[in-house]
Amino acid sequence: MNYRFSAVAAVAFFGLMGVASAQTYVSDSGASQNSVGLTGGGDIAWMEQFTVSGGLSKVISIQTCFGTPAFPGGPGVTAGQSFRVFVWSGTPTGAGVDAPTLLGTANGTVSAASIDSDVFQTVSITASAVTGTTNFLIGADIDGAAGGFPAPLQQTATGSAPILDNSWVAGSTTAGGFDPNNLSGGIGLFKNSAAGLPGNWLIRADAVNPVPEPASMAVLGLGAVAMLRRRRKA
């Protein structure tokens, strides 16, 4: 009897293991040497492309910061200002299953500690899991003042963080004008290298394995109980 109970417990345990599996997707070194903005001000968006690893396809939070300590006082944003973060499946210029599809968005508030400091702040996001493709994109946008440079950029490659050419920039000259469902609108969509801005954005994604819905978990539990009863009758 002890053996049979342990077998059922193991089924339940392994069914729940996905909850604890997590990973932070990172391209950057954690140190910015420059920051980017729109000359006349407006809504700038910075985006980083990744590939799903180990089935961790559900982004639950995004981390970023503003400006760079290399040029303090220049981000053109203020503490308490609102910004947005995004998750898309696919690639920015992809087609078919790889076309950029918005999976989730969330609002954040700029922390004073994250301005010109390389100190990341985290914004929780509710987003669908990446399906149909292994590619996904994360991004952030904020309204910057004319002459401000909010988007933090790693320009110097390191051994652990080479320049991967997976960084993109978009936005609008109109405040709040960036449309996450139309990446090519506004100022257009550019790969950093094509825009003369080679480097990795300081933006990261925390992701987990998709978790079964509560109804699915209930079915799993009932199945385990049924298996236990059948073994008792055997």
Side-chain angles (χ1 to χ4, degrees), residues 3-64:
Y3 169 77
R4 291 169 182 166
F5 179 81
S6 297
V8 174
V11 170
F13 174 76
F14 286 112
L16 291 169
M17 278 186 67
V19 177
S21 299
Q23 174 176 319
T24 299
Y25 288 91
V26 178
S27 291
D28 66 90
S29 65
S32 61
Q33 291 83 34
N34 212 332
S35 57
V36 178
L38 301 177
T39 302
D43 188 0
I44 186 168
W46 56 101
M47 298 168 284
E48 198 76 18
Q49 183 179 326
F50 294 95
T51 301
V52 172
S53 173
L56 300 167
S57 61
K58 183 176 177 62
V59 175
I60 59 171
S61 59
I62 293 175
Q63 307 172 34
T64 195

Side-chain angles (χ1 to χ4, degrees), residues 148-226:
F149 304 91
L153 187 66
Q154 173 205 338
Q155 287 191 308
T156 303
T158 70
S160 59
I163 304 303
L164 298 175
D165 201 25
N166 285 331
S167 305
W168 302 76
V169 62
S172 170
T173 55
T174 302
F178 172 66
D179 182 357
N181 290 298
N182 180 18
L183 301 183
S184 298
I187 66 170
L189 172 69
F190 305 94
K191 209 166 195 181
N192 279 23
S193 55
L197 301 167
N200 304 324
W201 297 119
L202 270 67
I203 187 168
R204 304 171 176 184
D206 302 310
V208 297
N209 280 312
V211 180
E213 295 296 325
S216 300
M217 295 301 296
V219 170
L220 174 63
L222 289 173
V225 171

Side-chain angles (χ1 to χ4, degrees), residues 50-115:
F50 294 95
T51 301
V52 172
S53 173
L56 300 167
S57 61
K58 183 176 177 62
V59 175
I60 59 171
S61 59
I62 293 175
Q63 307 172 34
T64 195
C65 50
F66 306 92
T68 173
F71 301 102
V77 300
T78 57
Q81 184 176 342
S82 64
F83 67 99
R84 297 181 295 177
V85 295
F86 311 94
V87 182
W88 299 264
S89 63
T91 61
T93 56
V97 296
D98 236 11
T101 302
L102 186 64
L103 300 179
T105 181
N107 296 320
T109 301
V110 175
S111 165
S114 295
I115 297 176

